[in-house]
């Protein structure tokens, strides 16, 4: 009998196929004692396994490229964390085997992160994956991972580590469903980049029996178990209609009555540029520059290396707009040379612009490199600072840009509620705003963006979050300046219409989402988008807001 389950849809599309479960995690190694004279040999085994896993993760990143590359490089750095390795060696010195020492050291760190409620708790799945890979290598058993199958399937997992998501074969993995995770988790972001339909935060997903046929709607978050022939035909028809609409929709983003809304791409480096161009991106709305800094956590990349990477992206969009976010270090992206190692809650500490203002030489080098990279190019370069809290932050960043001789627009990201509440004040120092809805939701609701248990509060349809977007857009309009959205909220076609109705002037998203958003925007007038936005803000929950907006746009 057909039954319906609902999680959080995080990547558009429909997938219909048989369930296959993620490979079993590594079993807990036995807690046997070793003689003291074997400790040095076991410590050597542990170090070799750690280095091998780190190298494998880095190689996977190089193969995947783009957004996945810097995620996997960060995971490789996690494997090589010196404090973790020191704990492993201490445990081996008092009698643990290499595999048991690794298992217990990672378990201790895992408990610390999970129980402290820190921002880094969202990286528990990544940490578990690193541990499992190291222990598997030490035990000589196969790595945990996606199942072997000659036939396409829908993958079910408790959670998906970036190393697995990055190399999914869309020809075999029709879609995936996880019990945990959230709409802004690494797996969700990478799923969108791959164009694989995905649903996360579905309790009980692991109870679906192997071989069960399911239909996954990555837009609504619905899972139909053993769908009827009628339901399958309905979903396949809707998917075909959507594909036809996407093919028919080309050109710049705009509403049906000609109100332009530039559709830009979020990229993590030059490797993401081809997909952005293929999707018809009108420029880049968020160029994450962290990928350059993850190669070596002990020092910043040289000015020459930065110039080359930035120019490769700027050259790809002649006459286009490229918005570069300066280094956003801290929290889940710690860098030894830049961020404090002993912060009790790094998400609320010295991160983003705060780190850069504490290390003005790093900021100066990056701004100088951007200036040199843009020299002689017709591109419209804009540079923005992450984690701006108030006017003083905005002024400090703008002053640094001017001192570096940067010929570009200077902007501020709105990721902290204070920045939305005082947006007009901030705009007296900078020329544009860009809303990072992922972090803005996290800080508005005190809900870690990586924790599935609070995923309802990470939903960008939350009316309180829409209120903050509206405040920012209204302030920008009053100052005659622009206000874009570069968070994952922009990738939801229906929400893109609401954001447009709130006064947002551009939308930036993963390349795979651009055709969906372009086709949906083109169906409605600006007035319809404004009415949908008002209806969404009048609701009391994310689900009510979504339903209310859909009703307005459907003419109900």
């Amino acid at each position: 009998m057909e039954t319906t389950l609902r999680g959080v849809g995080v990547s558009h599309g429909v997938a219909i196929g048989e369930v296959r479960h993620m490979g079993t995690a590594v079993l807990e190694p036995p807690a046997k004692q070793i003689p003291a004279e074997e400790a040095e040999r076991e410590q050597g085994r542990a170090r070799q396994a750690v280095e091998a896993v780190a190298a494998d993760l880095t190689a996977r990143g190089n193969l995947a490229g783009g957004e996945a590359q810097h995620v996997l490089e960060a995971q490789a750095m996690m494997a090589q964390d010196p404090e973790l390795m020191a704990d492993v060696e201490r445990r081996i010195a008092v009698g643990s085997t290499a595999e048991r020492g690794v298992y217990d050291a990672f378990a201790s760190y895992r408990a610390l992160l999970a129980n402290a409620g820190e921002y880094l708790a969202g990286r528990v799945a990544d940490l578990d994956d690193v541990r499992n890979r190291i222990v598997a290598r030490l035990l000589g058993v196969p790595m945990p991972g996606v199942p072997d199958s000659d036939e396409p399937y829908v993958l079910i997992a408790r959670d998906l580590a970036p190393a697995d998501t990055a190399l999914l074969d869309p020809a075999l993995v029709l879609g995936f469903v996880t019990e945990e995770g959230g709409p802004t988790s690494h797996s969700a972001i990478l799923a969108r980049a791959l164009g694989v339909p995905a649903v996360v935060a579905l309790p009980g997903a692991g109870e679906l029996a192997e071989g069960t046929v399911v239909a996954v709607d990555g837009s609504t978050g619905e899972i139909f178990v053993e769908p009827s022939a009628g339901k399958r035909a309905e979903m396949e028809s809707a998917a075909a209609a959507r594909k036809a609409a996407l093919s028919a929709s080309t050109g710049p983003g705009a509403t049906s009555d000609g109100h332009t809304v530039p559709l830009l791409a979020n990229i993590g480096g030059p490797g993401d540029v081809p997909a952005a161009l293929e999707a018809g991106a009108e420029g880049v709305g968020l160029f994450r520059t962290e990928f350059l800094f993850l190669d070596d956590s002990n020092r910043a990349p040289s000015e020459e290396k930065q110039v080359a990477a930035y120019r490769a992206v700027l050259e790809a969009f002649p006459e286009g707009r490229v918005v570069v976010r300066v280094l956003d270090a801290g929290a889940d992206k710690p860098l030894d040379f830049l961020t404090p190692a002993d912060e009790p809650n790094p998400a609320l500490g010295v991160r983003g612009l705060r780190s850069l203002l504490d290390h003005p030489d790093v900021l100066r080098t990056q701004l100088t490199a951007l200036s040199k990279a843009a020299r002689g190019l017709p591109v419209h370069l804009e540079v923005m600072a992450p984690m701006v809290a108030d006017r003083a932050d905005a002024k400090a960043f703008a002053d640094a840009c001017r001192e570096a001789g940067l010929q570009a627009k200077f902007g501020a990201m709105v990721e902290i509620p204070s920045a939305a509440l005082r947006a007009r004040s901030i705009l007296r120092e900078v020329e544009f705003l860009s809303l990072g809805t992922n972090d803005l939701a996290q800080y508005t609701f005190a809900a870690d963006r990586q924790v599935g248990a609070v995923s309802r509060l990470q939903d960008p349809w939350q009316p309180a979050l829409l209120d903050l977007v509206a405040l920012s857009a209204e302030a920008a309009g009053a100052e005659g300046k622009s206000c874009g959205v570069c968070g994952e909220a922009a990738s939801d076609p229906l929400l893109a219409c609401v954001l447009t109705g709130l006064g947002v002037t551009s939308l930036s998203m993963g390349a795979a989402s651009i055709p969906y958003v372009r086709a949906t925007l083109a169906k409605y007038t600006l007035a319809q988008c404004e009415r949908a936005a008002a209806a969404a803000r009048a609701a009391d929950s994310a689900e009510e807001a979504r339903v209310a907006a859909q009703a307005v746009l459907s003419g109900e």
Side-chain angles (χ1 to χ4, degrees), residues 245-303:
L246 294 180
S247 299
S249 178
T250 58
T255 58
S256 62
D257 56 340
H259 174 73
T260 59
V261 187
L263 303 181
L264 312 171
N266 294 343
I267 69 170
D272 290 339
V273 167
L277 293 172
E278 184 178 352
E282 298 168 58
V284 174
L286 173 62
F287 179 5
R288 304 179 181 96
T289 57
E290 289 76 38
F291 78 101
L292 275 168
F293 293 78
L294 293 173
D295 287 343
D296 186 347
S297 66
N298 295 311
R299 59 180 176 272
S302 68
E303 182 181 300

Side-chain angles (χ1 to χ4, degrees), residues 231-257:
K231 173 58 70 174
R232 292 179 67 153
E234 175 190 329
M235 293 184 72
E236 288 168 349
S237 175
R242 186 181 298 164
K243 185 175 181 180
L246 294 180
S247 299
S249 178
T250 58
T255 58
S256 62
D257 56 340

Side-chain angles (χ1 to χ4, degrees), residues 260-496:
T260 59
V261 187
L263 303 181
L264 312 171
N266 294 343
I267 69 170
D272 290 339
V273 167
L277 293 172
E278 184 178 352
E282 298 168 58
V284 174
L286 173 62
F287 179 5
R288 304 179 181 96
T289 57
E290 289 76 38
F291 78 101
L292 275 168
F293 293 78
L294 293 173
D295 287 343
D296 186 347
S297 66
N298 295 311
R299 59 180 176 272
S302 68
E303 182 181 300
E304 293 73 19
K305 181 176 181 180
Q306 292 190 55
V307 169
Y310 302 149
R311 194 169 181 90
V313 173
L314 297 176
E315 287 177 335
F317 294 94
E319 304 293 343
R321 177 185 179 200
V322 175
V323 184
V324 179
R325 181 180 70 190
V326 294
L327 175 63
D328 184 14
D332 65 331
K333 293 169 284 195
L335 294 171
D336 294 343
F337 70 91
L338 197 66
T339 49
D342 56 352
E343 286 189 299
N345 191 337
L348 302 180
V350 183
R351 64 165 294 196
L353 179 61
R354 299 168 188 174
S355 293
L356 293 173
L357 294 178
D358 280 353
H359 297 80
D361 54 324
V362 176
L363 177 58
R364 188 182 309 111
T365 299
Q366 185 168 27
L367 295 174
T368 302
L370 284 164
S371 180
K372 290 182 178 180
R375 195 169 294 161
L377 297 180
V379 69
H380 300 287
L381 175 63
E382 302 185 14
V383 182
M384 62 185 181
M387 300 300 292
V388 171
D390 56 16
R391 183 174 180 175
D393 277 352
K395 183 179 187 304
F397 179 65
D399 287 346
C401 289
R402 282 188 283 267
E403 288 169 11
L406 188 61
Q407 299 298 309
K409 286 186 176 181
F410 318 141
M413 291 197 70
V414 177
E415 301 167 284
I416 305 173
S418 64
L421 294 168
R422 301 290 295 171
R424 196 158 184 180
S425 172
I426 287 172
L427 281 164
R428 295 195 175 100
E429 302 293 343
V430 296
E431 299 172 83
F432 69 93
L433 299 178
S434 184
L435 288 141
T437 52
N438 305 349
D439 269 325
L440 185 57
Q442 171 173 251
Y443 291 123
T444 299
F445 298 104
D448 192 308
R449 55 188 276 193
Q450 302 295 334
V451 177
V454 291
S455 62
R456 76 173 186 86
L457 296 173
Q458 301 155 0
D459 192 326
W461 280 94
Q462 285 285 356
L465 186 66
L466 298 180
D467 287 343
L468 293 175
V469 173
L471 279 174
S472 303
E474 288 165 7
E479 293 292 323
K481 296 180 178 179
S482 63
C483 177
V485 168
C486 64
E488 293 301 313
S491 65
D492 179 334
L494 182 61
L495 185 51

